[in-house]
Amino acid sequence: MADTKWRRRLAARRSVNHGYRVAVGIVGGLIVALGLATIPLPGPGWLTVIAGLFVLATEFTWAERLLEFTKEHVKRWTDWVTAQPVWVRLLIAAATAAFVYGVLVVTLHLTGVPDWVPGWVPLWR
């Protein structure tokens, strides 16, 4: 947790400190929820979840531990992928791209293709 001068002054006032922690919890929770909702969609889903954990970790020890756990596993995954031959990395990239494309097509099929998408784009109408 942050241990700065302004934070110590804030912590000295119990009612203000409680309100601040509640606000951080709500904002961080909303960011994590938004990230979790957008994980299957193309875009920065996991990055948004991690950003929400960063916000929560400023005030909550459990979030700080979860963030450290997440950073360690992301580093292990990155180290493993970079140690693989090029063909394995390309296979992982192709599988990821196919998954994202499939989710995008299914999402657009269920929600409808926006009018601004040109007719020649190979999606279901």
Side-chain angles (χ1 to χ4, degrees), residues 105 108-125:
V105 168
L108 290 176
H109 178 68
L110 294 175
T111 62
V113 178
D115 293 333
W116 53 264
V117 175
W120 56 265
V121 175
L123 299 171
W124 295 320
R125 289 246 176 224

Side-chain angles (χ1 to χ4, degrees), residues 23-56:
V24 168
I26 290 171
V27 170
L30 287 173
I31 294 171
V32 168
L34 176 68
L36 290 173
T38 59
I39 285 173
L41 301 174
W46 282 112
L47 188 61
T48 307
V49 171
I50 292 171
L53 284 177
F54 269 112
V55 171
L56 290 170

Side-chain angles (χ1 to χ4, degrees), residues 45-101:
W46 282 112
L47 188 61
T48 307
V49 171
I50 292 171
L53 284 177
F54 269 112
V55 171
L56 290 170
T58 63
E59 287 300 313
F60 303 103
T61 306
W62 62 265
E64 195 172 351
R65 285 193 308 262
L66 183 58
L67 184 60
E68 288 303 318
F69 174 84
T70 303
K71 288 186 335 189
E72 180 181 326
H73 280 75
V74 167
K75 183 178 178 349
R76 284 179 48 198
W77 167 254
T78 305
D79 291 345
W80 181 83
V81 169
T82 55
Q84 300 307 307
V86 173
W87 70 269
V88 173
R89 287 185 272 167
L90 289 174
L91 188 63
I92 292 170
T96 302
F99 176 76
V100 169
Y101 180 76

